[in-house]
Amino acid sequence: MNTCSGVARRAIPALILGLPALARAQGWPPRPLVVATTAMVAELARGIGGEEFAVETLMGEGVDPHLYRPTRADLARLLRADLILCNGLRLEGRMGDVLERAAATRPVIAVAEIIPPARRRAHPEYPDAPDPHLWMDPLLWAECAAPVAAALARLRPGFDTAPGLAALRGRLEEFAAYARRAFEPLPAERRLLVTAHDAFGYFGQRFGMELASIQGLSTEAEASLARIESLVALLVERRVPAVFPETSVPDRAVRALIEGAGARGHRVALGGALFSDSLGRPGTYRGTYEGMLDHNITTIARALGGDAPERGLRGQL
């Protein structure tokens, strides 16, 4: 009988439970807790702060932030946070009151709101609600990292956020250059990106893609039959080869476009599902912001006839 291993198994949980007290006794500062509403926002904190901060995300894989309602567990996590990061611009529409109450006792930073109103994408139907999907443009998202770096520095005096911020911005500039190369071969008529909802506007502005979506900025609105019919006509007229579902939005309406175009004699492929309002599975490459960019750019380029390697910029898809 191996008594040593038995003692060790019993001792390990006690040791783990005792680590916080040991850290305090040794003067080790505990890692500040940063809670982000979405994985895209959380990735900014991780990219800048590394292991110096404990970063948690409220909304997981495939969750639609437009429709998300916070749970009691979410409220408890927010109350434990030293810093709360959200996207802002009404993306977390149903969390507004909760975030406002939390701001009374701890800093709450809406990262996308650093972009001046004049540079935000407007929507003709909602003049007071700009497009919140800024993370679709990696260069705009790099700008949104600045308030995160400032908040982390305040949270951990003496920690230098400049190297992490500079490295993050460099990587996002690399992905912007990759997208420009991948889309360069596309003729004008192929530069049409048809998606489930209007989440790719900033992406289109940055990379010269025309956008057409079934739903508007929020997924709460239902797609109308007239909208489906007009998009089918556009697909047939422009001979668009593919349309794209999204991982956080049901694909019924996208499939209706394919059927409608087929009935008019034009074959349209179902392009790979794009990440719009959430990232992929945690712990995977696609579960990171950069992996999401790589997946989306590569998927769009290959489906429309651009020039992108099958496994993406980093060879990890």
Side-chain angles (χ1 to χ4, degrees), residues 26-51:
Q26 295 291 330
W28 302 340
R31 292 196 303 166
L33 175 61
V34 179
V35 175
T37 54
T38 70
M40 293 78 72
V41 173
E43 284 283 289
L44 292 178
R46 292 192 184 100
I48 297 167
E51 296 299 318

Side-chain angles (χ1 to χ4, degrees), residues 124-135:
E125 297 176 17
Y126 308 100
D128 61 337
D131 186 347
H133 304 86
L134 276 83
W135 63 88

Side-chain angles (χ1 to χ4, degrees), residues 79-135:
L79 291 175
R80 289 190 292 107
D82 298 297
L83 170 67
I84 298 171
L85 300 175
C86 64
N87 186 85
L89 301 180
R90 300 192 188 180
L91 178 76
E92 305 95 340
R94 299 185 179 186
M95 291 189 66
D97 291 343
V98 171
L99 294 172
E100 188 174 335
R101 289 199 299 270
T105 56
R106 69 212 68 232
V108 177
I109 308 296
V111 302
E113 294 180 7
I114 191 176
I115 302 300
R119 297 177 60 202
R120 298 171 188 168
R121 180 172 174 260
H123 194 283
E125 297 176 17
Y126 308 100
D128 61 337
D131 186 347
H133 304 86
L134 276 83
W135 63 88

Side-chain angles (χ1 to χ4, degrees), residues 20 54 59 88 90 95 162 166 168 173 184 188 190 203 211 216 236 239 242 253 272 278-279 288 294 304 308:
M59 304 181 200
R90 300 192 188 180
M95 291 189 66
L168 174 69
E173 288 170 1
E184 186 177 12
R190 287 285 184 94
F203 183 94
L211 277 297
V236 173
R239 313 306 292 176
S278 71
L279 305 183
T288 66
D294 202 350
L304 296 182

Side-chain angles (χ1 to χ4, degrees), residues 88-206:
L89 301 180
R90 300 192 188 180
L91 178 76
E92 305 95 340
R94 299 185 179 186
M95 291 189 66
D97 291 343
V98 171
L99 294 172
E100 188 174 335
R101 289 199 299 270
T105 56
R106 69 212 68 232
V108 177
I109 308 296
V111 302
E113 294 180 7
I114 191 176
I115 302 300
R119 297 177 60 202
R120 298 171 188 168
R121 180 172 174 260
H123 194 283
E125 297 176 17
Y126 308 100
D128 61 337
D131 186 347
H133 304 86
L134 276 83
W135 63 88
M136 286 300 178
D137 177 346
L139 300 186
L140 269 183
W141 201 234
E143 293 184 49
C144 294
V148 178
L152 294 179
R154 289 191 295 269
L155 202 58
R156 184 70 109 189
F159 175 69
D160 187 4
T161 60
L165 179 59
L168 174 69
R169 286 175 168 169
R171 294 193 301 272
L172 298 191
E173 288 170 1
E174 183 183 4
F175 275 104
Y178 172 55
R180 286 190 288 269
R181 292 194 306 270
F183 299 143
E184 186 177 12
L186 294 177
E189 65 273 11
R190 287 285 184 94
R191 289 178 171 266
L192 178 63
L193 180 59
V194 180
T195 60
H197 90 293
D198 191 8
F200 290 82
Y202 294 107
F203 183 94
Q205 286 181 351
R206 176 65 65 186

